[in-house]
Amino acid sequence: MANQTASVESQFLRQISKKFLNWSLLRQIMSFVLFIGLWSIIVVAVDYFHQIPTPKAVFLALFELPITVVLINILKSFFRVLAGFFLGIVIGFPIGVAIGYSRVLKNLIFPAFEMIRPIPPIAWIPLTVLFFVHIESQIIFLTFYGAFFPIVYNTMGGIAEVDIRLPRAAMSFGLERKLMLWKVILPAAMPQIFTGMRLAMGITWILVVAAEMMANKGGMGYYVWYNHTVMDYPHVVLGMGIIGLCGAICSIGINFVGNYFTRWRRIF
Amino acid sequence: MANAKEETLDFIWHAPTFKTKLVNRNTILSAVSIASLFLSWALLVHFQVYRFSLLPSPAEVLEEGIAWVKTNVFWIDAFATTLRVLVGVLAAYIIAIPLGLMIGWKKVFSDLTFPTLEVLRPIPAPAYLPLAILLLPTREASVAFIPFIDAFFPVLLNTITGVKIIDRDYFRAARCLGSSPKQIFWHVVLPGALPSISSGCAIGMGIGWMGAVVGEMITGKWGLGYRIWESYILIRYPLIVDGMIAIGILGLASSVLIRYLTVRLIPWRRAITESLDESITK
């Protein structure tokens, strides 16, 4: 009896060790250790880099983080990103569907977009400042603009790439035309639509940081730039880390929603 | 290929037709589209709708633009920006492509480097600017650092994907026939990943232009991004739009150039990644 429980225990341990103590995972942890090790060695050993904060300084700065200030900045940045992003979806998604679905609308709208699209969103900053009164609406316009084109283009592309056999099969099964979009084409285009949204989210974070650096109106970009101007570099690095974390949270959120909308993929 | 795609959904509304004439419904609609863009811009400014009165009109932009192109300032600006983008993006290619090939090919290497890169990836490029200023000796280099970071991750991820989607059978066949790791690298990994790498390069180039403009606006002495910002401060508003147009044209030209080169250099890419390429770059 005792022997048996022991064997069960050892089996359990073996399973655990198989799951958590394999070489791949150890190496992945080693990756971070190596990175931090290299970082500290370079900063300490090479005189040229002596201004770069060491990992230890960054870690210690974590305890002096002005939490309320940082939280307010995070919320500001989040608000700007999400407002622009959702505006981009609300306006860009229907346009993408329309020009993906109808060739006339595509020819009517697409060439004008092609003229505007190569201009990077950042280059719109001066015109945005002229046109919009409030700084908040200026930044939100920029994030919207950054999100708009990836969403439109990927929605359009996703719909154009739907396998022709799917709507044909649906038609031969007698699906009404009204339902074709909702039941067949949009679900089939969803993977690429979410690729566009992921791209859009990445670009909105780039834009928000750049705009906040120039605007002096709070937000994490401003936090990083402010700490740069007062030469508090450990907090610059911390700010970068926080921005990265926020961006990662947003893309995880999109993946989560995207998995829900492309759940038909699991069947195959 | 493209025609086949055009017709994928259109059959619901129209019977497929053959369009061979130069002036057909499509080209007319495209012309209407572009004309209406400029016309609505001109009209909105002319009738001073909302705050459009503050924006320059197309005629002013054209006039100022022609004057600007004739001066040396334009050419120096365009050259400075192009140089920064090229230096940053080429540096990203040189580092990201070998790194991506190794990460995609060797599991051990991937374990040791990829988790860290994944953690660094969500940090947007402008956030690196303070560190770049601190880290690099000249202003020029810190401006070029932004396109570098911007281009680095798309190129890296596309390279990794490119290696990952190679059919495993190629590796097995190569090993059965007794090739060395070096031969596998040159004859299986690299050619197999090149199509995906090339679309990564085109994306990287596009984002690189955005990065250079950010860098120049925040900390620059020359360049199109700086010129846009300066025109805003000096209230020469038409020049802002000219700068935007110049950046747009140069950015588009560089992406088109890369795509043209890669189509030429990698003839087998069309078959493999046409859909992949279109989905990502557009």
Side-chain angles (χ1 to χ4, degrees):
Chain A
M1 195 69 190
N3 221 349
Q4 212 175 358
T5 48
S7 78
V8 167
E9 258 172 29
S10 69
Q11 237 176 17
F12 181 68
L13 278 178
R14 215 177 293 144
Q15 270 177 354
I16 292 246
S17 64
K18 221 182 204 173
K19 202 162 188 186
F20 295 103
L21 278 174
N22 54 6
W23 281 109
S24 179
L25 190 85
L26 279 179
R27 281 194 300 250
Q28 287 181 22
I29 295 165
M30 273 298 288
S31 151
F32 295 109
V33 177
L34 266 178
F35 175 66
I36 291 171
L38 272 178
W39 175 6
S40 25
I41 288 171
I42 286 175
V43 172
V44 173
V46 186
D47 193 42
Y48 176 74
F49 293 126
H50 69 279
Q51 276 186 303
I52 308 283
T54 57
K56 194 180 158 198
V58 175
F59 182 71
L60 290 178
L62 191 62
F63 296 106
E64 323 169 340
L65 203 66
I67 290 171
T68 43
V69 176
V70 170
L71 271 182
I72 289 171
N73 282 332
I74 290 175
L75 286 180
K76 276 182 178 171
S77 292
F78 252 102
F79 170 70
R80 289 159 183 165
V81 163
L82 293 181
F85 181 72
F86 284 114
L87 261 180
I89 291 180
V90 166
I91 300 174
F93 182 68
I95 294 180
V97 171
I99 60 182
Y101 213 52
S102 142
R103 195 191 283 174
V104 175
L105 279 179
K106 185 180 175 185
N107 283 323
L108 204 55
I109 297 176
F110 196 63
F113 280 3
E114 282 286 89
M115 303 281 289
I116 302 174
R117 193 175 61 102
I119 301 170
I122 302 283
W124 284 84
I125 288 180
L127 280 194
T128 319
V129 175
L130 280 179
F131 192 76
F132 291 98
V133 191
H134 301 292
I135 289 193
E136 210 62 36
S137 53
Q138 291 163 8
I139 298 178
I140 290 174
F141 173 77
L142 272 185
T143 51
F144 156 73
Y145 181 84
F148 181 74
F149 283 112
I151 289 175
V152 169
Y153 275 69
N154 280 286
T155 307
M156 184 192 77
I159 286 180
E161 304 242 325
V162 170
D163 189 344
I164 192 165
R165 287 170 297 181
L166 295 175
R168 269 192 189 147
M171 276 174 112
S172 63
F173 282 133
L175 187 74
E176 289 173 62
R177 270 188 186 177
K178 273 183 281 179
L179 292 174
M180 183 71 83
L181 185 68
W182 293 108
K183 293 284 175 192
V184 180
I185 291 166
L186 276 186
M190 270 302 160
Q192 203 183 332
I193 292 173
F194 273 92
T195 306
M197 289 188 184
R198 235 165 273 141
L199 271 176
M201 191 52 100
I203 292 176
T204 47
W205 273 103
I206 294 179
L207 287 173
V208 120
V209 170
E212 283 170 354
M213 278 184 169
M214 301 174 80
N216 271 9
K217 272 280 176 182
M220 284 315 290
Y222 172 71
Y223 180 80
V224 167
W225 194 248
Y226 170 78
N227 279 312
H228 164 67
T229 52
V230 300
M231 312 256 284
D232 189 353
Y233 290 110
H235 278 102
V236 168
V237 177
L238 267 185
M240 286 167 63
I242 292 170
I243 295 170
L245 202 64
C246 295
I249 289 172
C250 283
S251 59
I252 289 170
I254 290 181
N255 279 343
F256 190 72
V257 179
N259 280 340
Y260 176 75
F261 276 106
T262 55
R263 59 192 183 282
W264 53 264
R265 272 182 155 183
R266 279 178 234 147
I267 303 168
F268 295 111
Chain B
M1 194 74 184
N3 274 333
K5 264 175 206 156
E6 281 253 302
E7 276 165 16
T8 42
L9 287 171
D10 224 47
F11 80 96
I12 298 175
W13 309 113
H14 311 288
T17 48
F18 293 101
K19 295 200 171 86
T20 46
K21 281 185 293 181
L22 189 66
V23 179
N24 56 32
R25 204 181 57 190
N26 288 356
T27 51
I28 291 170
L29 284 175
S30 303
V32 167
S33 168
I34 292 169
S36 63
L37 176 73
F38 285 100
L39 199 68
S40 56
W41 171 18
L43 289 177
L44 283 169
V45 173
H46 183 76
F47 291 107
Q48 310 198 336
V49 182
Y50 187 53
R51 287 167 70 87
F52 274 102
S53 53
L54 292 170
L55 304 187
S57 71
E60 285 171 346
V61 169
L62 191 67
E63 196 183 323
E64 190 95 358
I66 290 169
W68 187 40
V69 173
K70 282 177 185 162
T71 59
N72 270 339
V73 181
F74 167 77
W75 296 102
I76 296 173
D77 281 342
F79 180 72
T81 308
T82 315
L83 194 68
R84 286 163 183 162
V85 174
L86 282 184
V87 167
V89 173
L90 286 180
Y93 290 173
I94 290 169
I95 298 175
I97 292 173
L99 199 61
L101 288 173
M102 285 307 286
I103 289 175
W105 187 28
K106 292 289 181 201
K107 182 86 169 74
V108 176
F109 195 79
S110 160
D111 284 344
L112 283 176
T113 50
F114 196 53
T116 307
L117 292 169
E118 272 296 288
V119 170
L120 294 180
R121 187 161 66 96
I123 302 174
Y128 282 95
L129 195 57
L131 278 194
I133 293 170
L134 199 63
L135 197 66
L136 297 164
T138 60
R139 211 122 255 231
E140 210 54 39
S142 55
V143 174
F145 190 72
I146 309 288
F148 167 75
I149 292 286
D150 264 332
F152 183 79
F153 286 104
V155 176
L156 180 78
L157 289 183
N158 267 49
T159 310
I160 295 172
T161 321
V163 180
K164 288 261 159 89
I165 59 173
I166 298 173
D167 197 340
R168 293 289 109 182
D169 286 346
Y170 288 128
F171 289 95
R172 292 190 193 112
R175 233 184 282 155
C176 277
L177 296 170
S179 33
S180 63
K182 198 176 148 194
Q183 282 168 323
I184 291 182
F185 180 81
W186 288 110
H187 294 283
V188 179
V189 176
L190 191 61
L194 270 180
S196 180
I197 292 175
S198 78
S199 57
C201 286
I203 302 168
M205 191 53 100
I207 304 184
W209 275 92
M210 192 164 115
V213 177
V214 181
E216 285 174 350
M217 275 190 173
I218 299 178
T219 154
K221 278 260 159 64
W222 284 101
L224 296 167
Y226 173 75
R227 192 63 52 204
I228 290 177
W229 193 242
E230 192 207 51
S231 329
Y232 167 68
I233 289 165
L234 299 179
I235 328 186
R236 288 177 69 194
Y237 296 150
L239 206 55
I240 297 176
V241 183
D242 286 320
M244 289 163 63
I245 293 170
I247 291 169
I249 291 173
L250 281 173
L252 192 64
S254 53
S255 307
V256 168
L257 186 73
I258 287 217
R259 231 175 281 170
Y260 176 78
L261 280 180
T262 51
V263 167
R264 277 294 144 108
L265 294 177
I266 318 168
W268 66 94
R269 88 184 272 280
R270 281 190 79 78
I272 307 173
T273 55
E274 194 160 57
S275 60
L276 183 84
D277 184 34
E278 277 180 3
S279 71
I280 299 171
T281 48
K282 278 183 179 173

